């Protein structure tokens, strides 16, 4: 019986200008769940990437099953029974679920891939652990939650006895997240050990056996759920007390800024996703769009911001009809957009922070004139965004790909807040962000409102909507089922509407 | 030089050295002396004014061809159409060069260059426009357009624009007028200077202009480019037009500065070498200059090497292929150099494959 499944001993990892891990030691025993907590950029992803063989540590040791190992790469870690689910899934979208799961470890019969055998094992695994998924579905047709199951199955198929999950619940609906937590609990009963990164303290308290808190690359605390509280953990993470509630005055709505009339929008597969939505957002108010993910929120936001064509209906901003206008025209009318998928739309990973800080403004003065970019001005601008929004980076000239997930998000939010906007469309604005920064961003959203901006907030976090929104619009199956004032929008009532129950 | 520039030239440099080393082994296996062979190669490419002129002349269309591939690559497009773009540029520049007379040089020469450039812009632009509107893959379209251009220029130079002087039976145009001929300053052809200026111009456009920002954004992340308000389709189409212009200028300089006319078959294959150059330059417009000079030198010195050291000139092709192999397979070079891979210096010329 192994005593230690996986451990880091005094691990140090240096990136240019950043000491991402500084003398970090953690331990994982069989059947236990280790939660890693910490601010954005604290070094959590770096640590698990070191444990998974993606990065080579500059100092310290990695121990797998009581043995000091020198990992040559992820393959090496996988063959030693470590499985990892990255925040960005590593799946082949046009291939089937079963093919994805066995890829690289295919069972063969007379030199050919034996898909029937593979399918049997996949079905067996998925029923055993409550990870039901159709083995013959194409991965590209699956919602995010299902894709994540495929990732977990991929690791289990390779007989992983350690599972590392980097912010697995960030992309899930609350229901999916709860289910995932139950699955993980179930896995530990078979002796699997789990390393789990999250920014949601509730989840940590619900599921972890051990909690390790990192700050600026160092371990600043080790505790267990029965000795910890949410506010205590929050304080340990950011080094100060955090106000978890948003302070705000009652809204003073002004003129209608965003007017949406009977809008119909198709999704990527050409199916009707937004089915005749009409909505108004006034200056000085925050309208929250609640709904289980996949009920048309994405398509609605994309149609409003110009990323997607609406098949019918109308949309106007500040009284100006802008239905199916370009992203550029819409932005030019004072619209800021925090996109839902930051890697897909929000940043260009290979670009510097400076270039990203003007991604949708590069063509305007003072960032450029007569077709020539003004680099000094852009650098100064980036510098001020980085300072104001506390983006942790050694400089604004490094590539955005070197930022931690939450710091990328802060950069995008900072960019969109860096000029006067009439309408802010914020989709999952705090996804992947630590609670200290969430507090800050929430305050800034309210501040925008008080300065007279109209805010359309889309979030999978019901708590976020309930604490920020002045009115709550609920989307179900592409239709707006109701719009409630904040004082009557209780968790229960909104929850029922989200499930499509209207009476 | 900063550390990152150093790292980015390390792989091509190592590839060149490895290519030459293996070439040396091949020379030995032929019973010849690599020292003699390589020194006569350098002699033949740099030894005197004539040699230098030859090298610079050879390098000129290679710079343009390399830029045509590198520029398109910045937008994530793989331009295989350099050959066709070069041919149309060459024939249309020649047509204006011989077809008009009585103009002063400062009008005639630019006019001929512009005619070639426009033809290339259209040729590249067709592929770009098809990509933007229908999603037709630029690799397929540019390859097909190469055939069209080959046949079109053959026909033009054999029929309407044929040189009918004496009893010429070759498919070629008449000689261009003096007023459309690109001069040579000492050992330096003006076409070469034009190529260098163009390379610097490409670099400035890509790195310093808003248009370059748009091109690179589309190449890096089309979705984010769309989010940023960039017209993705238009950017792809115009990038291909620019790429076509660049390759065509190479052809125009060949007609107006080297051959003095367009002749079918003379420039065959030249357009494809742009891919080699762009790879060696790692798609950096400034890197295209040394890459083209290196290959130009080898081609200029090959015959002297054959003469002096008795090494077949095809060896140069083998060495070029080896260099290309090592550049395209940087894993091998890194392994030899014991370099750790940093993601910033990765170049995937295949990035455009498969995604529409
Ligand atoms: N590839 C890299 N190159 C350079 N610096 C990096 C790289 N990866 C991470 N860093 C830096 O190391 C630090 C730790 O990053 P890491 O991704 O581990 O943070 P994290 O705790 O996972 O944060 P988050 O909660 O935002 O995901 C950050 O300051 C980041 O900028
Ligand atoms: Mg992280």
């Amino acid at each position: 019986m192994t005593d230690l499944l996986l451990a880091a001993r005094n691990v140090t990892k240096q990136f240019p200008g950043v000491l991402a891990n500084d003398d970090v030691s953690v331990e994982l025993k069989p059947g236990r769940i280790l939660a890693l907590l910490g601010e954005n950029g604290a070094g959590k992803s770096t640590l698990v990437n070191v444990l998974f063989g993606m990065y080579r540590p500059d100092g310290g040791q990695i121990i797998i099953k009581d043995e000091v190992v020198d990992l040559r790469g992820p393959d090496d870690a996988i063959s030693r029974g470590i499985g990892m689910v990255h925040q960005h899934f590593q799946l082949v979208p046009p291939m089937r679920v079963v093919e994805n799961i066995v890829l690289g470890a295919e069972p063969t019969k007379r030199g050919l891939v034996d898909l029937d055998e593979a399918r049997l094992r996949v079905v067996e695994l998925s029923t055993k652990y409550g990870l039901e998924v159709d083995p013959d579905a194409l991965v590209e047709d699956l919602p995010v939650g299902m894709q994540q199951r495929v990732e977990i199955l991929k690791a289990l198929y390779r007989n992983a006895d350690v599972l590392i999950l980097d912010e697995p619940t960030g992309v899930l609906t609350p229901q999916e997240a709860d289910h995932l937590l139950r699955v993980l609990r179930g896995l530990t009963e078979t002796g699997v050990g789990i390393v789990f990164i999250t920014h949601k303290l509730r989840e940590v308290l619900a599921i972890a056996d051990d909690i390790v808190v990192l700050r600026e690359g160092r371990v600043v605390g080790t505790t267990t759920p029965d000795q910890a509280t949410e506010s205590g953990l929050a304080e340990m993470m950011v080094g100060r007390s955090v106000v978890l509630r948003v302070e705000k005055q009652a809204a003073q709505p002004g003129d209608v800024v965003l007017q949406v009339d009977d809008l119909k929008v198709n999704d990527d597969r050409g199916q009707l996703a937004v089915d005749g939505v009409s909505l108004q957002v006034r200056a000085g108010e925050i309208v929250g769009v609640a709904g289980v993910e996949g009920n048309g929120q994405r398509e609605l936001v994309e149609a409003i911001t110009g990323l997607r064509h609406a098949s019918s209906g109308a949309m106007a901003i500040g009284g100006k009809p802008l239905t199916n206008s370009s992203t550029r025209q819409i932005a030019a009318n004072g619209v800021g957009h925090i996109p839902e998928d930051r890697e897909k739309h929000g940043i260009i990973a290979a670009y510097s922070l400076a270039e990203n800080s003007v991604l949708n403004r590069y063509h305007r003065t003072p960032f450029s004139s007569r077709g020539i970019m003004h680099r000094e001005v852009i650098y100064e601008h980036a510098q001020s965004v980085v300072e104001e929004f506390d983006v942790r980076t050694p400089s604004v000239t490094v590539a955005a790909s070197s930022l931690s997930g939450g710091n990328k998000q802060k950069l995008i939010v900072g960019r969109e807040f860096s000029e006067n906007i009439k309408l802010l469309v914020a989709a999952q604005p705090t996804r992947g962000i630590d609670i200290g920064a969430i507090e800050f961003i929430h305050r800034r959203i309210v501040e925008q409102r008080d300065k007279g901006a109209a805010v359309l907030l889309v979030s999978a976090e019901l708590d976020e909507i309930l604490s920020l929104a002045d009115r709550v619009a609920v989307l179900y199956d592409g239709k707006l089922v109701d719009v409630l004032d904040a004082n009557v929008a209780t968790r229960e009532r909104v929850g029922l509407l989200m499930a499509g129950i209207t009476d | 030089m900063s550390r990152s520039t150093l790292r980015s030239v390390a792989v091509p440099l190592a590839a060149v050295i490895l290519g030459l080393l293996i070439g040396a082994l091949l020379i030995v296996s032929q019973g010849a002396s690599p020292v003699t062979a390589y020194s006569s190669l350098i002699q033949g490419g740099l030894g005197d004014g004539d040699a230098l002129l030859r090298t610079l002349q050879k390098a000129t269309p290679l710079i343009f061809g390399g830029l045509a591939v590198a520029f398109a690559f910045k937008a994530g497009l793989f331009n295989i159409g350099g050959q066709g773009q070069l041919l149309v540029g060459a024939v249309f520049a020649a047509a204006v060069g011989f077809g008009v007379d009585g103009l002063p040089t400062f009008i005639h020469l630019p006019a001929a260059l512009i005619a070639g450039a426009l033809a290339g812009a259209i040729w590249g632009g067709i592929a770009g426009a098809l990509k933007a509107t229908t999603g037709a893959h630029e690799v397929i379209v540019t390859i097909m357009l190469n055939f069209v251009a080959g046949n079109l220029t053959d026909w033009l130079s054999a029929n309407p624009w044929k040189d009918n002087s004496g009893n010429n039976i070759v498919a070629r145009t008449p000689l261009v007028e003096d007023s459309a001929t690109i001069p040579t300053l000492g050992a330096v052809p003006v076409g070469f200077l034009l190529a260098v200026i163009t390379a610097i111009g490409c670099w400035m456009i890509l790195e310093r202009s808003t248009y370059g920002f748009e091109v690179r954004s589309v190449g890096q992340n089309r979705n984010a480019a769309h989010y940023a308000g960039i017209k993705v389709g238009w950017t792809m189409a115009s990038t291909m037009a620019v790429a076509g212009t660049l390759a065509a200028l190479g052809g125009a300089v060949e007609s107006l500065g080297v051959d003095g006319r367009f002749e079918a078959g003379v420039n065959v294959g030249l357009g494809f070498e742009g891919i080699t150059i762009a790879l060696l330059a790692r798609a950096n417009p400034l890197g295209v200059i040394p890459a083209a000079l290196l290959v130009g030198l080898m081609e200029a010195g090959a015959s002297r090497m054959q003469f002096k050291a008795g090494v077949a000139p095809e060896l140069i092709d083998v060495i070029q292929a080896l260099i290309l192999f090592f550049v395209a397979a940087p894993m091998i070079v890194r392994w030899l150099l014991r370099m750790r891979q940093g993601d910033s210096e990765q170049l995937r010329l295949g990035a455009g494959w498969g995604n529409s």
Side-chain angles (χ1 to χ4, degrees):
Chain A
M1 180 73 195
T2 42
D3 177 34
L4 272 185
L5 264 183
L6 178 66
R9 287 257 164 86
N10 312 100
V11 162
T12 300
K13 176 69 196 172
Q14 173 90 49
F15 287 115
V18 185
L19 191 53
N21 283 163
D22 182 5
D23 200 21
V24 173
S25 301
V26 294
E27 289 188 349
L28 178 69
K29 300 212 162 99
R32 292 183 75 86
I33 297 182
L34 167 66
L36 293 179
L37 273 180
E39 285 180 291
N40 297 127
K44 306 175 295 292
S45 297
T46 304
L47 178 62
V48 292
N49 281 329
V50 166
L51 291 172
F52 192 55
M54 303 247 292
Y55 295 143
R56 180 176 283 263
D58 297 317
Q61 290 177 331
I62 298 165
I63 292 152
I64 296 179
K65 297 185 195 131
D66 299 327
E67 191 191 331
V68 176
V69 293
D70 179 18
L71 294 177
R72 280 161 207 292
D75 294 349
D76 205 3
I78 290 169
S79 69
R80 290 169 194 275
I82 316 284
M84 179 155 170
V85 179
H86 296 268
Q87 200 164 7
H88 240 84
F89 299 149
Q90 327 266 304
L91 298 171
V92 191
M95 277 170 67
R96 283 185 283 163
V97 166
V98 49
E99 291 166 327
N100 265 284
I101 291 173
V102 301
L103 190 65
E106 306 87 352
T108 53
K109 197 155 88 188
R110 281 180 248 108
L112 298 173
V113 178
D114 187 357
L115 267 193
D116 296 326
E117 164 71 20
R119 193 178 291 107
L120 281 178
R121 275 209 55 201
V122 166
V123 171
E124 185 193 334
L125 278 173
S126 57
T127 36
K128 180 167 166 198
Y129 295 111
L131 289 164
E132 280 81 8
V133 52
D134 173 9
D136 290 305
L138 297 182
V139 164
E140 62 194 358
D141 291 340
L142 295 179
V144 195
M146 282 292 168
Q147 295 192 8
Q148 188 175 65
R149 289 187 182 183
V150 179
E151 281 281 12
I152 296 173
L153 284 169
K154 227 165 88 180
L156 296 176
Y157 184 86
R158 285 162 181 70
N159 299 317
D161 35 26
V162 175
L163 200 55
I164 300 173
L165 302 110
D166 192 351
E167 294 187 40
T169 55
V171 292
L172 299 182
T173 65
Q175 293 79 353
E176 286 173 327
D178 287 343
H179 181 257
L180 175 68
L181 297 188
R182 280 197 302 278
V183 168
L184 296 183
R185 243 312 137 220
L187 274 171
T188 58
E189 273 148 31
T190 64
V192 173
I194 291 168
V195 183
F196 181 80
I197 299 178
T198 184
H199 287 292
K200 296 174 191 162
L201 303 177
R202 185 177 58 84
E203 292 172 357
V204 173
L205 293 178
I207 193 179
D209 296 305
D210 304 288
I211 303 171
V212 170
V213 182
L214 294 176
R215 195 189 323 144
E216 286 168 9
R218 303 186 66 96
V219 175
V220 292
T222 308
T223 179
T224 54
D226 41 303
Q227 289 169 5
T229 59
E230 284 201 26
S231 57
L233 286 175
E235 192 165 339
M236 207 189 280
M237 276 170 64
V238 298
R240 63 178 165 87
S241 65
V242 178
V243 188
L244 294 166
R245 281 221 57 82
V246 189
E247 308 283 343
K248 66 178 173 83
Q249 313 290 314
Q252 285 165 350
D255 296 339
V256 173
V257 174
L258 173 68
Q259 173 84 42
V260 176
D261 285 310
D262 198 21
L263 202 67
K264 291 198 170 135
V265 191
N266 290 341
D267 64 14
D268 290 336
R269 271 172 282 155
Q271 317 245 307
L272 193 63
V274 174
D275 186 2
V277 166
S278 300
L279 181 72
Q280 287 185 336
V281 185
R282 295 170 177 277
E285 73 167 349
I286 301 174
V287 172
V289 176
V292 176
E293 228 166 311
N295 275 280
Q297 296 93 320
R298 170 180 307 158
E299 289 77 11
L300 177 64
V301 164
E302 291 185 351
I304 291 173
T305 55
L307 281 172
R308 187 181 286 270
H309 259 257
S311 50
S312 72
M315 194 267 290
I317 290 162
K320 193 166 169 188
L322 286 167
T323 321
N324 288 335
S325 296
S326 69
T327 45
R328 167 98 12 122
Q329 278 170 307
I330 289 171
N333 279 279
V335 178
H337 175 201
I338 299 168
E340 163 185 339
D341 188 338
R342 60 174 170 248
E343 313 275 343
K344 184 176 174 192
H345 289 119
I347 57 164
I348 294 185
Y351 274 6
S352 67
L353 269 62
E355 285 172 301
N356 275 297
S357 76
V358 295
L359 188 58
N360 46 8
R361 312 244 157 79
Y362 67 93
H363 58 291
R364 283 197 242 147
T365 47
F367 305 124
S368 67
S369 56
R370 276 179 255 117
I372 305 296
M373 312 267 286
H374 298 315
R375 303 210 302 161
E376 279 70 33
V377 184
I378 294 173
Y379 283 146
E380 275 163 33
H381 170 71
Q383 201 66 49
S384 70
V385 169
V386 161
E387 272 159 31
E388 190 177 347
F389 284 80
D390 188 27
V391 179
R392 308 274 167 96
T393 176
S395 95
V396 298
T397 58
V398 301
S401 58
S402 72
L403 289 182
S404 79
N407 281 303
K408 286 178 193 163
Q409 185 73 16
K410 289 197 262 178
L411 178 69
I412 295 169
V413 174
R415 175 182 72 211
E416 297 308 303
F417 278 16
S418 63
E419 68 179 31
N420 284 326
I421 38 181
K422 269 199 292 194
L423 171 68
L424 173 68
V425 181
Q428 323 293 351
T430 56
R431 178 172 278 175
I433 286 192
D434 71 54
I435 50 167
I438 288 178
E439 179 197 12
F440 175 73
I441 288 174
H442 281 176
R443 260 196 282 126
R444 295 298 306 259
I445 291 178
V446 173
E447 210 176 284
Q448 288 286 340
R449 178 199 77 166
D450 293 343
K451 278 200 295 187
V455 180
L456 185 70
L457 168 75
V458 178
S459 176
E461 299 290 321
L462 194 47
D463 288 333
E464 181 161 54
I465 301 239
L466 293 179
S467 64
L468 283 178
D470 302 309
R471 290 192 295 139
V472 180
V474 186
L475 268 182
Y476 176 75
D477 198 19
K479 292 197 176 68
L480 203 60
V481 286
D482 209 348
V483 184
L484 304 173
D485 278 332
N487 51 4
V488 294
T490 57
R491 184 169 255 288
E492 292 66 35
R493 202 157 155 203
V494 175
L496 284 176
L497 287 171
M498 282 168 65
I501 302 165
T502 43
D503 43 27
Chain B
M1 220 191 289
S2 77
R3 237 185 103 201
S4 66
T5 3
L6 212 71
R7 280 173 77 91
S8 61
V9 296
V11 168
L13 213 60
V16 169
I17 294 169
L18 281 171
L20 290 174
L21 283 178
I22 297 179
L25 291 180
L26 291 174
I27 294 170
V28 171
S29 76
Q30 306 258 296
S33 151
V35 177
T36 325
Y38 285 153
S39 63
S40 53
L41 182 73
I42 292 172
Q43 273 288 315
L46 291 176
D48 49 43
D50 273 0
L52 185 61
L53 179 68
R54 261 201 313 277
T55 297
L56 297 183
Q57 270 178 349
K58 296 256 186 215
T60 304
L62 297 179
I63 294 179
F64 283 116
L67 291 174
V69 177
F71 199 96
F73 183 69
K74 293 288 181 187
L77 300 168
F78 204 6
N79 178 18
I80 311 282
Q83 179 66 38
Q85 295 150 8
L86 179 142
L87 287 175
V88 295
V91 82
F92 279 90
V96 174
F98 75 80
V100 188
D101 61 311
L103 289 176
T105 298
F106 76 94
I107 296 178
H108 197 185
L109 179 53
L113 284 171
I114 289 170
L118 272 179
I122 292 170
W123 221 248
I126 292 173
L130 286 175
K131 169 92 173 183
T133 53
T134 68
H137 204 290
E138 75 279 5
V139 167
I140 312 287
V141 176
T142 53
I143 289 176
M144 294 199 295
L145 284 174
N146 283 341
F147 289 103
V148 179
N151 289 313
L152 176 70
T153 54
D154 280 358
W155 179 79
L156 285 172
S157 57
N159 292 291
W161 294 345
K162 185 165 185 236
D163 171 18
N164 288 320
S165 63
N167 36 19
N168 170 47
I169 50 157
V170 183
R172 67 179 195 202
T173 67
L175 283 171
V176 300
E177 300 287 326
D178 283 350
S179 55
T181 301
I182 301 176
T184 297
L185 304 172
V188 183
V190 170
F192 176 76
L193 297 179
L194 191 65
V196 170
I197 293 168
T198 308
I200 295 169
C202 284
W203 183 85
M204 302 255 284
I205 288 172
L206 285 169
E207 299 299 323
R208 296 283 185 269
S209 77
T210 51
Y211 179 67
F213 188 85
E214 290 166 2
V215 170
R216 289 184 292 124
S217 300
V218 168
Q220 289 289 347
N221 181 343
R222 259 173 233 173
N223 290 313
H226 184 197
Y227 164 86
I230 295 165
K231 292 187 193 123
V232 175
W234 160 252
T235 305
M236 290 197 295
S238 64
T239 300
M240 281 303 288
V242 171
T245 305
L246 291 165
L249 278 173
V253 171
E254 282 289 285
S255 291
L256 305 174
V258 182
D259 306 330
R261 57 156 52 101
F262 177 84
E263 183 168 336
V266 164
N267 292 320
V268 164
L270 199 52
F272 288 113
E273 295 195 51
I275 300 169
T276 311
I277 304 294
L279 266 171
L280 195 53
R282 319 204 80 216
N284 179 332
L286 295 181
V288 161
I289 300 170
L293 281 172
L294 176 79
V295 173
L297 185 153
M298 290 203 284
E299 288 176 2
S303 56
R304 189 177 182 108
M305 179 180 76
Q306 176 184 28
F307 178 68
K308 281 271 175 124
V311 177
E314 284 78 14
L315 181 81
I316 292 304
D317 295 333
V318 175
I319 294 178
Q320 274 183 34
L322 283 168
I323 293 175
L324 191 58
F325 171 78
F326 287 121
V327 172
M331 301 273 283
I332 302 175
V333 177
R334 285 217 184 78
W335 177 71
L336 285 168
L337 291 179
R338 302 281 186 277
M339 260 168 75
R340 289 284 278 183
Q341 180 160 339
D343 55 357
S344 57
E345 24 147 2
Q346 258 182 33
L347 176 81
R348 290 189 301 267
L349 257 187
W353 289 91
N355 42 12
S356 51

